[in-house]
Amino acid sequence: MTVRSRLEGRMDENALKLTTSMDFDENIFQYDILVDYAHVIMLEKSGIIDRNSAARILRALREIERSGFESLSKEYEDVHEAIEAKVIELAGDDGKKMHTARSRNDEVATCLRMFARDRILELLSTLLELRSVLLKKAKENVNAVMPGFTHLQYAQPTKLSHHLLAYHDMIERDFQRLLDAFRRVNLSPLGSSAFAGTSFPIDRRLVAEYLGFDGVVENSMDGVSSRDFLIESVFACTSLMLSFSRICEEIVLWASEFEFVVLPDEFASSSSIMPQKKNPDTAEIIRAKAGRMVGDLAGVMAIYKAMPFAYNRDFQEMNRVMFQVMNETLLAARVMAGLMDGIEFRTDVMEGKAGKGFSVATEIANLLVQKGVPFRTSHRIVGELAKRGIYRPDAKTLTTIAREFGVEVEVTQEEIEAASIPELVVEQRESEGGTSERNILVMIEKRVERIKEDEVRIASIRARISDSLKRLFEEVDAYAGKEG
């Protein structure tokens, strides 16, 4: 152990098992190396350590990076201590200078932010792919009519394209939440030290630039004691998984009795006993993971809710949750993009059921309103048709029942047929965002343009971070020599 100092003897074996984070610290191994690179170079540039010491430390770090996480001893509290011990082993007394003007408190907070920002960027790129798939499918099915539901009952005819656009817009909001979270995540706490800053003349802005951050968390206590960025990252992922879960729920339903979709073989499973089965297992697993993540979100919030300032080891249990949630959300997003791209919509079945359950009832009521009948009265008249099981009324039947309610109205057979054919009904909904072809095409075009803008935005962010890290590696080479 490298940080026992005033403590005699080794840590109790069970206590170490309880407190170590080495079982999940591989998630931040690479980030810890990058943080160490930047910190050591800054120490030398600030005149805190000499150039030869910096070079030896950087060469040791480069060897550790090349050897990988598995080369580290697991007999340490965390990856930060394990790397420092290995640096001391390789660089001797010079290695003991690496931790100057730094605490594990600001070190881990920096690594966590780098992990979160990279997973957010990967998620954003994957969601751009998923959004494009949804728009492609909507364009392919612009005029495919299907039943719409409320309370999972046949309600009104709609269009598959309209339904898919609703999926897209839900995912786009999650995209924006992640993008907004990125802005608060991508700030550097490095240099906060334990929580009160340091008396060494460090340059916090320099290390932030090397590591691709957009700035620093200014208050040093806030830098090490805040984990709202972690909670926000978990929340944004959970929100996205809830959106996925709703889509998956419909895929499960549509793949069974509804017979609206045929699942791609690559995203389905078979039964161990029933050879005819094609099960929507991937959708079900994503649906289940969304439920667990709701609990994970509650868990990190419960840990955080009464945490005194500044750093407390309780934070470590929050890290484990963030790693798992963000990694699994990214995997789920990739699966969703592939699943939605490969799914086959049975538009013939959808169209055949579009008028089921007297789903055109609202349009017939609207027809009476256009004839001067108050809507609530027309609602009662059409409700009476439903009560009597008259789902395809002719003009005579409609006017007869209207008369029973004291309403005299003239309706032609052509008019009632226009209000009873789902393909015609959906085209009459010209209100903004409605199901008419014109509306659908306008909505698709607008969303395609927004995706293009988002692609440019994400590419720009990635380029900025990449350029910063390239500069960092060039500095490492300048100090430690180029690798052969």
Side-chain angles (χ1 to χ4, degrees):
M1 309 288 278
T2 60
V3 293
R4 297 293 284 171
S5 293
R6 71 175 298 278
L7 304 175
E8 295 182 4
R10 295 182 63 82
M11 196 173 200
D12 176 82
E13 182 179 347
N14 288 322
L16 180 60
K17 286 181 180 178
L18 176 70
T19 58
T20 185
S21 60
M22 288 297 287
D23 58 324
F24 54 85
D25 272 354
E26 186 172 4
N27 287 282
I28 55 173
F29 168 74
Q30 185 63 43
Y31 300 117
D32 195 281
I33 295 292
L34 293 175
V35 167
D36 288 342
Y37 282 155
H39 181 70
V40 170
I41 292 170
M42 181 277 296
L43 289 178
E44 194 280 332
K45 288 184 178 293
S46 300
I48 299 171
I49 66 173
D50 62 86
R51 189 175 183 90
N52 287 335
S53 295
R56 293 189 188 98
I57 295 170
L58 292 170
R59 281 195 288 269
L61 285 168
R62 199 158 61 183
E63 183 174 335
I64 295 167
E65 180 183 21
R66 185 167 51 243
S67 299
F69 179 78
E70 289 304 316
S71 69
L72 298 177
S73 169
K74 305 306 182 287
E75 299 298 316
Y76 290 96
E77 289 185 9
D78 53 45
V79 69
H80 320 294
E81 188 181 20
I83 289 174
E84 184 181 4
K86 192 68 174 177
V87 167
I88 292 171
E89 177 187 323
L90 295 171
D93 285 346
D94 284 323
K96 296 177 181 179
K97 301 176 182 179
M98 183 177 73
H99 209 62
T100 306
R102 188 178 69 180
S103 165
R104 282 186 294 178
N105 296 356
D106 60 336
E107 184 179 7
V108 68
T110 308
C111 293
L112 293 174
R113 285 175 178 269
M114 293 178 73
F115 172 90
R117 70 133 186 242
D118 281 4
R119 289 301 181 276
I120 288 173
L121 287 174
E122 289 181 76
L123 269 169
L124 290 171
S125 294
T126 306
L127 292 184
L128 285 171
E129 180 184 349
L130 175 57
R131 288 168 58 191
S132 295
V133 166
L134 292 171
L135 294 185
K136 180 186 72 172
K137 293 288 187 178
K139 194 169 185 178
E140 291 171 355
N141 297 279
V142 169
N143 289 314
V145 180
M146 68 173 289
F149 301 86
T150 63
H151 308 280
L152 205 56
Q153 298 183 47
Y154 290 87
Q156 289 183 314
T158 184
K159 286 183 176 179
L160 175 57
S161 55
H162 193 263
H163 202 108
L164 292 172
L165 284 170
Y167 284 175
H168 170 275
D169 290 0
M170 178 171 63
I171 298 299
E172 184 181 23
R173 288 192 295 276
D174 288 312
F175 179 96
Q176 294 299 332
R177 288 186 188 97
L178 284 161
L179 187 59
D180 198 44
F182 176 88
R183 181 171 60 85
R184 284 178 287 278
V185 166
N186 200 37
L187 297 172
S188 173
L190 200 61
S192 297
S193 197
F195 69 86
T198 176
S199 55
F200 289 98
I202 61 172
D203 188 342
R204 294 188 63 196
R205 300 281 170 176
L206 179 63
V207 290
E209 291 171 9
Y210 278 143
L211 296 172
F213 287 107
D214 294 326
V216 300
V217 181
E218 184 179 27
N219 184 285
S220 59
M221 181 174 287
D222 184 40
V224 301
S225 62
S226 64
R227 290 296 185 274
D228 49 321
F229 74 89
L230 184 155
I231 293 173
E232 186 174 11
S233 297
V234 173
F235 164 73
C237 287
T238 304
S239 175
L240 176 60
M241 288 296 289
L242 291 176
S243 297
F244 287 166
S245 183
R246 295 189 70 194
I247 297 172
C248 287
E249 173 73 6
E250 295 205 323
I251 289 172
V252 171
L253 291 171
W254 290 3
S256 63
E257 194 64 27
F258 285 97
E259 298 182 325
F260 286 175
V261 299
V262 177
L263 297 171
D265 289 350
E266 300 87 346
F267 296 91
S269 299
S270 185
S271 166
S272 63
I273 187 173
M274 296 168 284
Q276 84 283 8
K277 295 296 295 300
K278 187 175 187 180
N279 298 325
D281 287 21
T282 51
E284 291 171 340
I285 289 294
I286 290 174
R287 187 175 60 181
K289 286 184 181 293
R292 182 169 53 75
M293 286 184 193
V294 172
D296 290 336
L297 176 60
V300 293
M301 293 173 72
I303 293 171
Y304 195 65
K305 74 173 183 63
M307 198 71 66
F309 284 72
Y311 180 83
N312 299 273
R313 193 68 177 273
D314 310 51
F315 286 154
Q316 182 173 292
E317 289 302 298
M318 299 174 72
N319 303 349
R320 183 194 305 269
V321 174
M322 183 181 74
F323 297 149
Q324 184 171 29
V325 165
M326 299 198 80
N327 285 333
E328 290 192 349
T329 302
L330 177 58
L331 179 60
R334 289 169 175 164
V335 169
M336 286 298 297
L339 174 60
M340 295 308 297
D341 191 37
I343 205 165
E344 177 187 338
F345 294 102
R346 297 189 61 188
T347 55
D348 56 333
V349 176
M350 291 180 171
E351 290 171 0
K353 294 183 177 181
K356 187 176 178 179
F358 200 19
S359 66
V360 296
T362 302
E363 208 60 38
I364 294 175
N366 289 344
L367 172 61
L368 293 177
V369 172
Q370 292 165 8
K371 296 290 184 177
V373 181
F375 176 76
R376 192 52 62 196
T377 302
S378 69
H379 189 284
R380 292 179 63 197
I381 293 168
V382 179
E384 185 66 22
L385 289 172
K387 186 189 300 183
R388 299 182 189 184
I390 305 172
Y391 298 151
R392 295 190 177 183
D394 55 24
K396 182 178 179 181
T397 302
L398 180 59
T399 55
T400 298
I401 291 181
R403 195 171 295 118
E404 294 177 12
F405 285 85
V407 174
E408 293 292 338
V409 62
E410 290 185 9
V411 178
T412 67
Q413 188 61 32
E414 290 75 16
E415 288 172 330
I416 197 167
E417 285 180 0
S420 301
I421 299 173
E423 289 80 3
L424 299 178
V425 169
V426 292
E427 289 306 324
Q428 294 176 44
R429 298 187 188 131
E430 287 280 357
S431 58
E432 184 177 357
T435 57
S436 71
E437 180 180 7
R438 183 182 65 83
N439 278 337
I440 298 292
L441 292 175
V442 167
M443 286 191 281
I444 290 174
E445 183 179 356
K446 287 162 59 177
R447 284 150 182 78
V448 167
E449 287 304 311
R450 293 208 294 264
I451 286 178
K452 290 178 182 177
E453 293 170 1
D454 287 336
E455 286 174 339
V456 171
R457 185 176 294 113
I458 299 308
S460 175
I461 292 172
R462 283 186 174 279
R464 289 202 308 271
I465 294 174
S466 178
D467 288 345
S468 295
L469 294 178
K470 180 181 178 182
R471 179 189 171 200
L472 174 60
F473 284 119
E474 288 173 350
E475 288 278 17
V476 171
D477 287 343
Y479 278 86
K482 291 186 179 295
E483 294 182 282

